[in-house]
Amino acid sequence: MWNETMQQRLNELQRFKQDDKLTEQERQALEQLHSALEQEEWSTLRPTLERLRREQEQQQEQEARLKVENSVLAALAERMTR
C-alpha cells in the first residue's frame, strides 16, 4: 500500500533525476516506485472503471431498444397517415 514514506522517496528520486544525479540503483528504485504507484492507482480505479463500463453497456442496450421502439412507432404512424 502506498504511504507517505514511499511518496517522499519518490519525490526525492524525481528531484535527483531532474538534476541528473541518479545512480543506477536509484534509477531502479524510481522505476519500482513508479510501478508500485501505478498498481495502487489501478487498484483504486478498477472498481469505478468496471462500474462505468457496466453503465455504458446498459445505456447502449437501452439505446438499441429505443431505436427499435422508434422504428415501430414510425411504422405505425406512417400506416395511420395513409
Side-chain angles (χ1 to χ4, degrees):
M1 177 161 269
W2 195 257
N3 58 44
E4 185 62 31
T5 302
M6 294 170 80
Q7 184 64 52
Q8 288 174 355
R9 181 67 173 149
L10 176 66
N11 293 343
E12 176 185 42
L13 291 171
Q14 287 175 328
R15 281 192 304 275
F16 289 167
K17 183 178 179 181
Q18 286 177 339
D19 296 337
D20 285 331
K21 295 181 180 177
L22 268 184
T23 66
E24 180 59 27
Q25 185 178 10
E26 290 169 333
R27 186 192 62 74
Q28 290 175 1
L30 180 59
E31 287 178 9
Q32 290 173 348
L33 285 169
H34 278 145
S35 179
L37 180 57
E38 185 175 311
Q39 289 176 359
E40 183 78 20
E41 289 171 341
W42 275 113
S43 293
T44 301
L45 291 173
R46 188 171 289 114
T48 301
L49 292 173
E50 288 175 359
R51 179 184 55 79
L52 290 171
R53 182 188 50 78
R54 285 191 305 273
E55 286 177 7
Q56 183 181 29
E57 288 174 356
Q58 290 170 349
Q59 289 173 349
Q60 289 171 343
E61 290 169 3
Q62 182 179 11
E63 179 184 10
R65 285 191 304 271
L66 290 173
K67 283 181 178 180
V68 168
E69 187 177 316
N70 283 342
S71 295
V72 169
L73 290 173
L76 287 174
E78 186 176 328
R79 272 193 213 162
M80 294 182 75
T81 58
R82 288 185 193 172

